[in-house]
Amino acid sequence: MAEKDAVREQIIQAAKKRFSHFGYAKTTMAEVAADCSMSPGNLYRFFPGKLDIAEAIATAEHEGHMGNMRGLSAADGKSVIERLREYFFEEMRYTYLMLEKNPRVYEMASVIAHERPQYANWMLANERKLLVELFDEAERNGEFRIDDKEFTAEMIQSATMKFRYPQLWSKLPLPKLERELDGVLKLLVNGLCAQRARTSPV
Amino acid sequence: MAEKDAVREQIIQAAKKRFSHFGYAKTTMAEVAADCSMSPGNLYRFFPGKLDIAEAIATAEHEGHMGNMRGLSAADGKSVIERLREYFFEEMRYTYLMLEKNPRVYEMASVIAHERPQYANWMLANERKLLVELFDEAERNGEFRIDDKEFTAEMIQSATMKFRYPQLWSKLPLPKLERELDGVLKLLVNGLCAQRARTSPV
DNA sequence: AGATTGAACGATTTGTTGAACGTTCAGAAA
DNA sequence: TTTCTGAACGTTCAACAAATCGTTCAATCT
């Protein structure tokens, strides 16, 4: 089984190279197979299909990203509010720069989003776990208390959707997006009424 | 000039019928011209091009919609917060039902959004005027006070983007969308911190 | 004169055909 | 037997041709 996993990894690496150089559509299973010194048919012993290879690549990427995010959100000496802020900023920059650097990534994301609609939901659910943990911590240290943490996390995701897929929604450059995200987060944290009270600015 | 406007209106009505029955792409300028008993070339004395006819249709629709919205937001005996809530709910339902009723509308919206990127911004700017007026009123009656009203309106639009183009973002049915919009608006109005203070629930 | 036409123009779309692709599986190799 | 191959299958894609469309403008009509 360790053997099988090693071959899977080899396939993933070969496909990753091809996908990011030539694009998902322009890469053929025969090419990936040749890169791994095997026949096209043999790929199907390791993956159900081409799209599943792309999904495996995306999942590895996502898990690495989530690792970074967990590190960021575990930073001591900062309030939960501060860490939430940094979380969403980092999230936006990460996506923005990745798509800006390599348009092929956008192609892969589009294909997966189109053919596997549930996949994006799975990633969002993963991120919510992290948010809920942050809410728990805020409750413990008395910073703020939320009744339905899972639901609130979902609402924050809804409200920051525009920044999770930055170049899908607007052609704005990163600095403008950052200014907007800043404004939205302030609203989400303080609300409209709090602007009057002017308590706990972000 | 009144004469010219009457012909423009006739063209708009003829095009509207064709666009919503057969779609924008499948409607030809020759057909619209024939419906108006004129030659294709003559259309260009009234509109610069096909897309401008679609834009005129969209603008008329948008202005009618804005009229309804102004009526809604002028309702006395309700707090500004309540009116804001109703505003965004009505906005979402309006779009959702329009696109659900007729898929051709979606095609037209897509074409305009793609070929005239500034058009959507113009509509958003119109809506912001209304929001700013509501903020002014909230300030007058002491409900809440916002420093940069234009910016705050923009931020609220950012945070509710998902609900302005409902079926673009999610395949969720209207009731689920309403529940989500409700949650997001609560966050925007009260913020995270206010959940602890539990003041002025929506 | 100004208003209107419709043939003509380049661009886009449509239709078609052959090649290339993802996937399968009978059989070869180990 | 288990692992792997590569030809075969139906589908999708690419390239080219023909038709159609949006748009223009010289000619026609009022």
Side-chain angles (χ1 to χ4, degrees), chain A residues 26 37-39 41-42 45:
Chain A
K26 292 281 177 202
S37 310
M38 58 172 74
S39 69
N42 203 34
R45 291 202 311 122

Side-chain angles (χ1 to χ4, degrees), chain A residues 80-81 133-145:
Chain A
V80 170
I81 296 279
E133 281 169 30
L134 279 172
F135 294 159
D136 282 335
E137 188 170 338
E139 182 169 346
R140 259 182 269 118
N141 73 20
E143 213 174 324
F144 57 85
R145 213 186 73 75

Side-chain angles (χ1 to χ4, degrees), chain A residues 148-163:
Chain A
D148 191 337
K149 301 193 182 73
E150 174 69 20
F151 181 72
T152 302
E154 214 179 319
M155 295 308 106
I156 296 184
Q157 285 183 330
S158 286
T160 54
M161 200 114 272
K162 181 179 178 181
F163 308 102

Side-chain angles (χ1 to χ4, degrees), chain B residues 46-77:
Chain B
F46 301 93
F47 292 94
K50 187 183 183 184
L51 191 56
D52 299 275
I53 304 180
E55 230 189 69
I57 295 171
T59 298
E61 187 70 34
H62 172 73
E63 269 160 9
H65 170 61
M66 286 302 283
N68 292 341
M69 291 311 237
R70 254 186 294 273
L72 218 164
S73 77
D76 280 359

Side-chain angles (χ1 to χ4, degrees), chain B residues 42 44 72 127 151:
Chain B
N42 204 34
Y44 292 82
L72 218 164
E127 294 184 21
F151 181 73

